[in-house]
């Protein structure tokens, strides 16, 4: 036995109300508290006179069943065991201050909510424990475990600003042509990008993906939004040289473009590559130098000695163990179809992305995706199971709204809500604002409408239980 940490808010609760439990997924429950204060858990609890709860997942936050995070002890970290934990919690919990009331799943309806991994998690709760969980909302739920998840960058390519994406594709193609075919120019390339001391080519190429990697962290709430993707695009799309110091790279950039077949695009690409280099220097390279670390210290993933650490303070180990052992989701550039220019380097291969699997856990085979996909993957469904996904989410290809899932065969209903939030990225319905923070445009209409729909259908679900 071990303790799962949880937080709850009884301020909206009235006798007979449901329990709204938000699964914290692959993060500390503390980081999910804003959702209990003003996000979706608060909204649903207020709409139903419910009790809002944030429940931590085993091996995250403070909810550890073992004394360390050695590979031997991580064998207890499976999605199936965590689902069983959550069901046990719902069947046995007694909330402090409410001991006189039976708020277990046998007495009141429990409705689960989760976003991303936790979104898939709560969908599986509804399917595997239907007598415990009365309903569930899967937001950006990655219900299909995928080993080579090259599609992660497809929504970025499709919905990102056209000039930004086009320039990124061209520059990455220049880089890949050199790294994979013109290796005599690798030293010049790294020096031009101010990273001459990054030993491994795949590490060097990985840093070049820092800009597009910020897409997932975009959010409608300015206080939550990460502006790095927009800043990156603003730099790489500008035809004006934004960093005067990069003028010294002019001749080298011209040389690299000529060697890779891009001489005819030099007028456009030279200033944009200068801006790319300048932005990377400000955001990545200069901070590394200021820290006193070497470039390999900052940017390399070839660090077996680091991966050997396994005490409880090494919280980074938990989610990689899950994706190495069961979920996959290795975001490669090598998997992109050959007739399409990727927006991250093709040196980002399964071999490279699984370095952590081998060095940290001695996992040398692909993950057992069947351990979760047997539950239904793209076809998972159940009554009182809602799916809320973002149109522009990089995780959409792993959700029931993926084109491969044939979402046109599903219909939206109160019993099985099926909503694609226009313009949204990753579980944008989860966070919220206090009443005095809302404006005419915040939350944006698609998000506000989605949250209103959630309040409405959860109210209807709860009435069914009365």
């Amino acid at each position: 036995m071990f303790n799962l940490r949880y937080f709850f808010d009884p301020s909206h609760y009235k006798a007979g109300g449901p329990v709204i439990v938000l699964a914290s997924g692959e993060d500390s429950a503390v980081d999910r508290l804003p959702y209990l204060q003003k996000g979706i858990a608060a909204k649903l609890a207020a709409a139903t006179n419910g009790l809002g709860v944030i429940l931590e997942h085993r091996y995250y936050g403070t909810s550890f069943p073992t004394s360390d995070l050695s590979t031997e002890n991580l064998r207890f970290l499976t999605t199936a065991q965590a689902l069983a934990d959550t069901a046990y919690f719902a069947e046995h919990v007694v909330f402090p201050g409410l001991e006189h009331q039976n708020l277990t799943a046998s007495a009141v309806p429990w409705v689960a909510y989760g976003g991303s991994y936790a979104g898939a998690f709560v969908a599986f709760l509804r399917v595997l424990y239907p007598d415990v969980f009365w309903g569930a909302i899967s937001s950006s739920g990655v219900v299909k475990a995928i080993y080579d998840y090259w599609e992660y960058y497809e929504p970025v390519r499709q919905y990102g600003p056209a000039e930004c994406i086009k320039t990124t594709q061209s520059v990455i193609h220049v880089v890949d042509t050199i790294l994979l075919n013109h290796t005599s120019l690798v030293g010049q390339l790294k020096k031009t990008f101010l990273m001459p001391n990054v030993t491994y080519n795949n590490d060097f190429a990985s840093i070049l993906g820092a800009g597009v990697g910020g897409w997932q962290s975009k959010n409608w709430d300015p206080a939550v939004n990460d502006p790095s993707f927009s800043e990156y695009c603003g730099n790489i799309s500008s035809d004006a040289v934004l960093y005067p110091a990069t003028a010294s790279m002019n001749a080298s950039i011209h040389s690299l473009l000529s060697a890779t077949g891009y001489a005819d695009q030099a007028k456009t690409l030279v200033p944009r590559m200068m801006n790319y280099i300048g932005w990377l220097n400000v955001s990545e390279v200069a901070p590394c130098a200021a820290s006193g670390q070497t470039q390999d210290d900052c940017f390399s993933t070839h660090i077996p000695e680091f991966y050997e650490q396994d005490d409880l303070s090494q919280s980074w180990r938990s989610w990689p163990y899950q994706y190495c052992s069961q979920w996959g989701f290795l975001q490669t550039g090598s998997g992109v179809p050959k007739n399409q220019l990727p927006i991250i380097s093709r040196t980002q291969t399964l071999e490279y992305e699984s370095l952590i699997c081998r060095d940290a856990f001695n996992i040398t085979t692909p993950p057992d995706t069947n351990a979760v996909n047997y539950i239904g993957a793209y076809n998972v469904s159940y009554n009182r199971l809602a799916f809320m996904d973002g149109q522009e989410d990089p995780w959409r290809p792993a959700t029931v709204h993926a084109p491969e899932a044939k979402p046109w065969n599903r219909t939206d209903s109160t019993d099985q809500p099926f909503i694609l939030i226009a313009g949204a990225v990753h579980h944008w319905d989860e966070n919220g604002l206090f009443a005095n923070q809302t404006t005419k445009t915040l939350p944006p209409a698609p998000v506000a409408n989605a949250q209103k729909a959630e309040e409405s259908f959860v109210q209807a679900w709860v009435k069914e239980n009365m």
Side-chain angles (χ1 to χ4, degrees):
M1 295 290 288
F2 70 102
N3 292 322
L4 282 181
R5 182 168 59 168
Y6 68 95
F7 299 89
F8 72 99
D9 176 13
S11 63
H12 302 291
Y13 183 72
K14 294 181 181 178
V19 172
I20 307 296
V21 59
L22 189 144
S24 69
E26 74 284 23
D27 199 358
S28 165
V30 172
D31 293 334
R32 309 303 192 192
L33 285 176
Y35 308 138
L36 186 61
Q37 297 167 323
K38 57 180 179 178
I40 194 63
K43 290 179 180 294
L44 295 178
T48 59
N49 298 321
L51 182 77
V53 179
I54 306 289
L55 179 62
E56 201 159 68
H57 189 294
R58 61 166 57 199
Y59 287 89
Y60 294 93
T62 63
S63 301
F64 294 103
T66 58
S67 59
D68 62 37
L69 298 177
S70 63
T71 303
E72 173 72 11
N73 280 338
L74 284 170
R75 72 188 189 278
F76 304 113
L77 176 52
T78 67
T79 297
Q81 288 172 312
L83 291 166
D85 291 341
T86 308
Y88 184 90
F89 177 85
E91 292 173 314
H92 294 90
V93 66
V94 176
F95 294 101
L98 298 171
E99 293 88 350
H100 59 291
Q101 300 194 52
N102 183 355
L103 293 174
T104 64
S106 63
V108 300
W110 277 58
V111 176
Y113 176 99
S116 193
Y117 164 64
F121 187 89
V122 300
F124 299 163
L125 279 177
R126 179 68 183 127
V127 172
L128 297 177
Y129 297 94
D131 295 332
V132 179
F133 296 93
W134 183 247
I137 302 173
S138 173
S139 179
S140 295
V142 289
V143 295
K144 170 78 169 177
I146 302 170
Y147 181 32
D148 186 346
Y149 190 50
W150 66 268
E151 297 98 330
Y152 177 86
Y153 289 98
E154 278 297 276
V156 188
R157 183 182 68 85
Q158 293 164 353
Y159 295 103
E163 280 301 305
C164 175
I165 298 305
K166 180 181 177 181
T167 304
T168 299
Q169 288 176 311
S170 296
V171 175
I172 292 301
H173 191 222
V174 169
V175 169
D176 277 354
T177 300
I178 293 170
L179 295 182
L180 300 174
N181 300 313
H182 296 303
T183 54
S184 63
L185 296 175
V186 169
Q188 179 184 342
L189 175 69
K190 290 182 180 179
K191 184 177 180 181
T192 302
F193 274 87
L194 305 177
M195 289 183 276
N197 298 315
V198 176
T199 302
Y200 294 94
N201 293 345
N202 42 27
D203 285 333
F204 166 74
S206 178
I207 299 305
L208 300 187
V212 294
W215 179 269
Q216 178 179 324
S217 298
K218 293 169 56 180
N219 194 274
W220 59 266
D221 182 354
V224 177
N225 178 57
D226 176 357
S228 62
F229 178 84
S230 297
E231 292 170 352
Y232 162 76
C233 279
N235 277 266
I236 201 170
S237 302
S238 175
D239 292 321
V241 177
L242 304 176
Y243 303 88
T246 60
S248 62
M249 281 81 166
N250 190 310
S252 183
I253 293 173
H254 270 282
S255 171
L256 295 172
L257 291 176
S258 295
T260 53
Y262 278 88
D264 61 336
Q265 297 183 40
K267 183 177 180 181
T268 298
L269 287 179
V270 168
R272 293 184 178 189
M273 285 183 69
M274 287 180 178
N275 293 335
Y276 196 177
I277 293 164
W279 180 82
L280 278 171
N281 182 50
V282 169
S283 61
E284 304 288 343
V285 179
C288 174
S291 72
Q293 299 181 88
T294 69
Q295 291 190 331
D296 276 345
D297 287 339
C298 293
F299 305 130
S300 184
T301 57
H302 298 262
I303 43 175
E305 64 283 352
F306 172 82
Y307 294 136
E308 291 173 0
Q309 301 174 94
D310 60 11
D311 60 89
L312 286 182
S313 71
Q314 308 301 316
S315 57
W316 58 268
R317 290 178 66 86
S318 297
W319 179 238
Y321 181 81
Q322 286 196 260
Y323 68 69
C324 290
S325 61
Q326 294 190 320
W327 286 89
F329 294 139
L330 302 186
Q331 296 151 26
T332 70
S334 58
V336 176
K338 298 301 181 184
N339 62 351
Q340 177 180 313
L341 290 178
I343 59 174
I344 65 165
S345 171
R346 290 191 186 275
T347 65
Q348 310 301 284
T349 63
L350 286 173
E351 176 77 11
Y352 175 67
E353 297 298 330
S354 60
L355 269 173
I356 190 172
C357 303
R358 298 189 298 277
D359 290 348
F361 313 115
N362 196 31
I363 295 176
T364 58
T365 55
D368 181 14
T369 53
N370 289 331
V372 289
N373 285 340
Y374 83 93
I375 302 171
Y378 287 141
N379 297 315
V380 65
S381 66
Y382 217 87
N383 65 312
R384 295 189 300 278
L385 172 56
F387 291 101
M388 317 288 291
D389 294 315
Q391 179 187 29
E392 302 179 7
D393 189 353
W395 292 100
R396 181 179 169 186
T399 75
V400 293
H401 277 96
E404 294 80 5
K406 300 178 180 179
W408 49 85
N409 289 334
R410 298 204 192 205
T411 56
D412 177 38
S413 67
T414 298
D415 188 56
Q416 295 189 42
F418 191 70
I419 297 174
L420 187 65
I421 306 173
V425 185
H426 204 43
H427 49 87
W428 272 17
D429 60 313
E430 189 163 15
N431 58 295
L433 300 172
F434 291 120
N436 63 352
Q437 296 176 314
T438 60
T439 68
K440 290 182 179 180
T441 57
L442 292 177
V447 173
N449 291 339
Q451 292 175 333
K452 289 175 184 175
E454 288 168 308
E455 293 172 9
S456 178
F457 63 67
V458 171
Q459 287 173 333
W461 293 353
V462 172
K463 286 181 181 178
E464 290 179 36
N465 191 262
M466 292 179 176

